[in-house]
Amino acid sequence: MSLITFPTSKDIYLEIDGKRIATVQSYKSKAARESRYVEAFGAEEPVGTVAGRTRYLLELSRVAVAQPLPPEVDFYGLEGFNLVVVRPDRKVIYTGCQWTAIDESVGLSDLVYETLTAVATARLEVR
């Protein structure tokens, strides 16, 4: 009997140039495609559809920046980073990420955790 494992915060992380810069406790991904109808002159209904661009919106919760943060990385200046999610049978990588919103919170004697909203240019699955 095989044991099913679920990704944990050590399996979800942000990276730049192959270096881990932060761990992520949880994430939510939304993909939206800009599809269009193909209309024919005189037809009452569309004759088909055409797929357009796919956009990825990522919501990352409890992002803990790697300590110490490498000096060449300014978290608010991040551009072109990757979100990596390691699953039991494959690795999902969102590439070319740009953040759109960052929320910070910190408790007494706790790490600074951030909630990050980002967009990605592509989604890859590696087995």
Side-chain angles (χ1 to χ4, degrees):
M1 181 166 127
S2 65
L3 183 64
I4 297 174
T5 58
F6 295 96
T8 63
S9 60
K10 70 179 174 123
D11 302 319
I12 306 170
Y13 56 91
L14 300 180
E15 70 175 13
I16 292 181
D17 298 328
K19 296 178 189 173
R20 244 180 237 222
I21 59 165
T23 59
V24 179
Q25 186 176 52
S26 65
Y27 81 103
K28 186 161 95 172
S29 171
K30 294 180 185 179
R33 181 182 283 171
E34 298 174 356
S35 300
R36 292 179 273 125
Y37 291 113
V38 176
E39 307 274 341
F41 184 73
E44 290 185 21
E45 296 182 5
V47 294
T49 58
V50 176
R53 298 185 289 196
T54 302
R55 297 176 184 230
Y56 301 98
L57 177 65
L58 307 169
E59 295 176 12
L60 314 176
S61 298
R62 292 188 60 94
V63 178
V65 177
Q67 296 296 330
L69 189 63
E72 67 274 6
V73 177
D74 169 22
F75 197 67
Y76 283 86
L78 287 180
E79 293 184 356
F81 59 92
N82 297 337
L83 170 66
V84 180
V85 180
V86 179
R87 295 187 177 172
D89 59 338
R90 67 188 177 279
K91 188 185 283 190
V92 178
I93 305 169
Y94 293 91
T95 62
C97 297
Q98 301 286 337
W99 66 269
T100 59
I102 297 176
D103 296 317
E104 289 185 13
S105 65
V106 64
L108 185 61
S109 301
D110 200 2
L111 292 173
V112 174
Y113 288 107
E114 291 158 319
T115 302
L116 183 78
T117 303
V119 293
T121 58
R123 180 183 185 274
L124 309 168
E125 287 193 21
V126 181
R127 295 197 186 273

